[in-house]
């Protein structure tokens, strides 16, 4: 098995084992380098193509490892060639399948949302490579009991643990419930990605992005742990907590450029 497939499927398996990608819930897309692609296939040969009705011009020539539609994360580690696909952006509206989906499958229904997020994050960070969508339990719980205000969510999650401000200083985006798999949620998520690396889908889950497998998995872990702390104490009497001044002191100590207007 190619090293990049092994590393990706290990992270996908961890997401399943954490309970964040049950059944066929969640999806994954990873920009691969030319060198990584060459460890999977020796020559490019199109198996079939997939058409989309949005402009992917800025991604032409890029390779993506993408989970398949209706595929279970729990099966990716043991059978990557069925559950994953290696695709190349062939032209502005076409993905070309080069490897994978060996049972005749196709990319996740959320592929357009992923690709739109990749487009926006690459504008912010040329080293961006990865988008993971998952269903963290406590993030979903929070979206049932807390108003969907990004600044409020950011402040709460920053104050749950010291690591939060360090790991996601830009805060967290939040969207109301929108039907999944469609243009509306894809456009709304991509718009949020202009500012945030992570976006909450109310009553659904989380979209997180970054440079590496470890970075994005760690980002999800940190956000979900903060949400878990909140859900465990939100109905309790809190006698001490992290203050605005504490967060400012932390930012100064670690030279963190955090989102302004929340704790200032």
């Amino acid at each position: 098995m190619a090293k990049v497939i092994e590393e990706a499927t290990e992270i996908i398996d961890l997401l399943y084992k954490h309970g964040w990608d049950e059944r066929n819930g969640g999806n994954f897309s990873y920009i691969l380098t030319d060198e990584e692609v060459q460890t999977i296939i020796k020559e490019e040969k199109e198996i079939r193509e997939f058409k989309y009705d949005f402009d992917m011009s800025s991604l032409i020539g890029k390779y993506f490892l993408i989970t398949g539609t209706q595929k279970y994360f729990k099966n990716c580690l043991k059978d990557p060639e069925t559950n994953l696909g290696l695709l190349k952006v062939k032209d502005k509206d076409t993905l070309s399948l080069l490897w994978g989906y060996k049972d005749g499958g196709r990319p996740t229904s959320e592929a357009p949302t992923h690709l739109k997020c990749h487009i926006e994050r690459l504008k912010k960070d040329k080293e961006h490579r990865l988008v993971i969508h998952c269903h963290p339990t406590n993030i979903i719980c929070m979206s049932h009991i807390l108003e969907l205000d990004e600044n409020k969510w950011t402040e709460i999650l920053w104050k749950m643990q010291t690591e939060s401000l360090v790991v996601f200083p830009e805060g967290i985006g939040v969207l109301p419930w929108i039907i999944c798999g469609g243009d509306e949620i894809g456009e709304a998520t991509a718009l949020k990605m202009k500012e945030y690396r992570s976006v909450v889908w109310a009553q659904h889950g989380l979209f997180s992005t970054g440079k590496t497998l470890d970075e994005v998995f760690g980002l999800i872990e940190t956000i979900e742990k903060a949400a878990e702390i909140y859900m465990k104490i939100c109905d309790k009497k809190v006698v001490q907590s992290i203050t605005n001044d504490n967060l400012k002191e932390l930012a100064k100590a670690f030279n963190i450029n955090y989102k302004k207007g929340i704790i200032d």
Side-chain angles (χ1 to χ4, degrees), residues 7-21 73 77 214 217 221:
E7 292 173 343
T9 54
E10 284 175 353
I11 289 294
I12 289 170
D13 197 56
L14 279 173
L15 287 159
Y16 166 72
K17 287 176 177 174
H18 275 64
W20 301 338
D21 287 283
F73 269 32
L77 185 62
D214 281 347
F217 186 77
E221 282 184 306

Side-chain angles (χ1 to χ4, degrees), residues 8-260:
T9 54
E10 284 175 353
I11 289 294
I12 289 170
D13 197 56
L14 279 173
L15 287 159
Y16 166 72
K17 287 176 177 174
H18 275 64
W20 301 338
D21 287 283
E22 71 291 336
R23 199 175 181 271
N24 63 315
N27 22 76
F28 172 105
S29 62
Y30 190 26
I31 300 173
L32 302 189
T33 65
D34 292 352
E35 293 74 20
E36 288 168 336
V37 169
Q38 290 167 12
T39 67
I40 302 171
I41 56 171
K42 298 307 177 186
E43 60 178 348
E44 289 188 19
K45 183 178 180 181
E46 183 176 276
I47 300 170
R48 55 188 178 277
E49 63 179 31
F50 306 99
K51 293 283 189 179
Y52 294 96
D53 60 356
F54 67 97
D55 189 355
M56 296 186 282
S57 296
S58 65
L59 299 177
I60 290 174
K62 290 191 179 298
Y63 300 94
F64 289 85
L65 189 66
I66 304 178
T67 47
T69 188
Q70 297 297 311
K71 301 304 183 187
Y72 290 33
F73 269 32
K74 72 180 182 66
N75 296 330
C76 290
L77 185 62
K78 62 185 178 184
D79 188 6
E81 196 171 354
T82 297
N83 296 283
L84 300 173
L86 171 62
L87 302 114
K88 184 177 185 178
V89 182
K90 183 177 179 180
D91 56 44
K92 68 178 183 179
D93 65 354
T94 309
L95 289 179
S96 178
L97 179 65
L98 305 177
W99 172 92
Y101 306 150
K102 69 179 183 181
D103 62 349
R106 58 178 295 116
T108 170
S109 62
E110 300 288 3
T113 300
H114 278 249
L115 293 165
K116 290 172 185 178
C117 289
H118 281 293
I119 289 169
E120 292 305 327
R121 290 312 304 172
L122 282 166
K123 292 176 185 177
K124 301 288 289 185
D125 182 359
K126 292 181 180 179
E127 296 182 1
H128 161 85
R129 294 183 64 185
L130 180 63
V131 175
I132 294 176
H133 170 49
C134 58
H135 302 161
T137 305
N138 293 285
I139 283 289
I140 297 172
C141 289
M142 280 184 66
S143 73
H144 284 274
I145 66 170
L146 191 66
E147 59 186 293
L148 303 179
D149 179 281
E150 291 169 337
N151 287 351
K152 187 67 175 177
W153 274 68
T154 295
E155 181 179 3
I156 286 172
L157 294 175
W158 279 354
K159 289 181 174 179
M160 289 301 100
Q161 57 186 357
T162 303
E163 289 78 11
S164 290
L165 182 72
V166 177
V167 175
F168 52 102
E170 75 279 11
I172 188 167
V174 180
L175 288 174
W177 188 91
I178 304 171
I179 193 166
C180 56
D183 290 339
E184 183 183 0
I185 199 165
E187 294 292 340
T189 306
L191 185 62
K192 294 293 184 185
M193 288 291 174
K194 294 176 182 286
E195 183 175 358
Y196 304 104
R197 287 177 298 144
S198 287
V199 178
V200 172
W201 287 5
Q203 295 85 48
H204 186 147
L206 186 69
F207 253 75
S208 289
T209 67
K211 302 180 182 70
T212 69
L213 294 162
D214 281 347
E215 178 191 343
V216 182
F217 186 77
L219 177 61
I220 295 166
E221 282 184 306
T222 306
I223 293 170
E224 170 63 0
K225 185 169 186 178
E228 180 181 4
I229 296 166
Y230 175 75
M231 291 306 302
K232 286 181 174 179
I233 69 170
C234 64
D235 60 346
K236 307 289 194 301
K237 179 183 177 181
V238 176
V239 296
Q240 61 269 321
S241 188
I242 297 173
T243 67
N244 290 357
D245 286 341
N246 292 152
L247 289 175
K248 292 174 193 175
E249 184 180 357
L250 179 66
K252 184 177 180 180
F254 285 84
N255 194 28
I256 296 167
N257 182 24
Y258 62 89
K259 182 181 178 182
K260 301 301 187 291

